[in-house]
Amino acid sequence: PKAFLLENVKNLVNHDKGNTFRVIRQVLEEELGYHIDWKVIDGKSWVPQHRERIFIAGFRDPCGFTFDGMDIPNPLQGPKLATILHPEDGSEAPEPPYTEGNIGNVSDKYTLSEKLWQYLQDYAAKHRAKGNGFGFGLFGPDDVTRTLSARYYKDGSEILVDRGKGRRPRRLTPTECARLMGFERGNRIWSTTVSDTQAYKQCGNAVVVPVVEAIAEVMEPHIRAAVAKDLSGKEKRQRDLYRGRRMAVNG
């Protein structure tokens, strides 16, 4: 291909003391002949989720592309969790089985059971006593969440919605996870027919859509220029071939 865009976890850069990334660069640049640039980008500039990922862009021909041309919004002014939650006030149409009732309350099945909630609290307390940072993540409407992972279906502990004093927290619904990944923006609506487990896995393994869109906007003119150059070369070769055939016939 004329160009590509790759995405991976942030730690790829430092994995095995940088050897893994060094090999990847060697293959892309020396063996495959691409000109590449890369950047670690945090999705929280676009969505209320702290999600750092490395993006690697490559072009077959040198074109001057760099990630420095990206317009990255101020992460401190990014959206907060409230922007992706079901409002539960009737302003959004009910979305069964995720919400129910005429004002779209989130289904009770997403609220943690007393047993699970107690277990998570005890687990976090045990690790705090040992000086570790392991534990659940509880977030309110004005917060930015942790990174959503494919294991979210297990207990949802990495991102729990704080429902106020005296109420057990809840998991995000699949729709809220999709919004957290930027699948729903403007007139773009996300929907699925798969199980919650599969939806959680798919969202956790996905890329933050608006981040990729922002990168694509910077890559687009370079891709178009490469395609135009390729087409121009093909047209020239066809003209030369046609001219050569005419000369052969006339000769």
Side-chain angles (χ1 to χ4, degrees), residues 191-236:
S191 64
T192 184
T193 57
V194 302
S195 67
D196 283 8
T197 295
Q198 290 301 316
Y200 287 141
K201 287 182 178 180
Q202 290 172 15
C203 287
N205 281 325
V207 295
V208 175
V209 176
V211 175
V212 177
E213 289 177 331
I215 297 172
E217 287 180 0
V218 183
M219 292 180 69
E220 181 183 13
H222 298 287
I223 295 174
R224 290 187 179 278
V227 172
K229 180 180 178 182
D230 189 44
L231 290 175
S232 176
K234 287 182 179 179
E235 290 175 355
K236 183 178 184 302

Side-chain angles (χ1 to χ4, degrees), residues 59-81:
F59 289 83
R60 176 66 69 185
D61 301 316
C63 64
F65 168 86
T66 71
F67 280 97
D68 293 337
M70 279 189 65
D71 181 16
I72 300 179
N74 186 343
L76 299 179
Q77 298 177 1
K80 300 299 185 282
L81 185 59

Side-chain angles (χ1 to χ4, degrees), residues 92 95 175 178-179 181-186 188-191:
E92 182 180 273
E95 188 183 356
T175 290
R179 292 171 178 172
M181 296 301 297
F183 291 171
E184 283 200 356
R185 283 172 69 83
R188 187 170 58 210
I189 303 300
W190 177 89
S191 64

